[in-house]
Amino acid sequence: MGNNMEYTVKAIIINKDSKILVLEQVVDGQTFYTLPGGRIEDEIDEKGELKREVMEETGLDIEVDELVGEWMFERKNGRKTICKTYLVKNFSGQFDSSKKKKYEIIF
């Protein structure tokens, strides 16, 4: 991976009621919504990295389906980020919002 490039993966997790899981995060008094996922170290195993990130953030064990989107953006610090988003229709486990205390899990 390049010095000025960062790679992230995100999951669109859809439950049986066709609702999408989002994480609510409050930073410095501002509320943000995001999909579960995060930075990855191993581009070769993106799906494995995504499974790990989602487990850490939500307590869910996911089955990663197909890639649905990929884009690049530049952060305020000038660092470029490539983000890949995967669809997830099958998952197991219980939501555990204590996994990341800074998040509130919303379906």
Side-chain angles (χ1 to χ4, degrees), residues 1 5-13 34-40 42-51 53-54 62 64-73 75 80-88:
M1 289 188 240
M5 190 67 70
E6 178 176 272
Y7 297 86
T8 63
V9 287
K10 296 286 185 174
I12 298 174
I13 302 173
T34 187
L35 296 170
R39 292 187 194 128
I40 62 172
D42 182 4
E43 289 178 83
I44 295 169
D45 187 21
E46 291 173 348
K47 290 182 177 184
E49 292 274 329
L50 181 56
K51 284 178 63 87
E53 285 286 340
V54 170
I62 62 171
V64 181
D65 294 323
E66 75 265 17
L67 178 69
V68 294
E70 179 177 352
W71 65 94
M72 185 176 77
F73 60 94
R75 296 187 184 273
K80 291 181 176 63
T81 300
I82 292 177
C83 182
K84 292 184 178 182
T85 304
Y86 288 88
L87 184 62
V88 173

Side-chain angles (χ1 to χ4, degrees), residues 23-24 37 53 55-58 96-105:
L23 302 176
E24 179 183 74
E53 285 286 340
M55 176 60 80
E56 285 179 8
E57 292 179 353
T58 68
D96 184 355
S97 60
S98 70
K99 290 283 188 183
K100 288 272 189 173
K101 295 190 185 295
K102 63 182 178 179
Y103 288 117
E104 185 67 35
I105 299 169

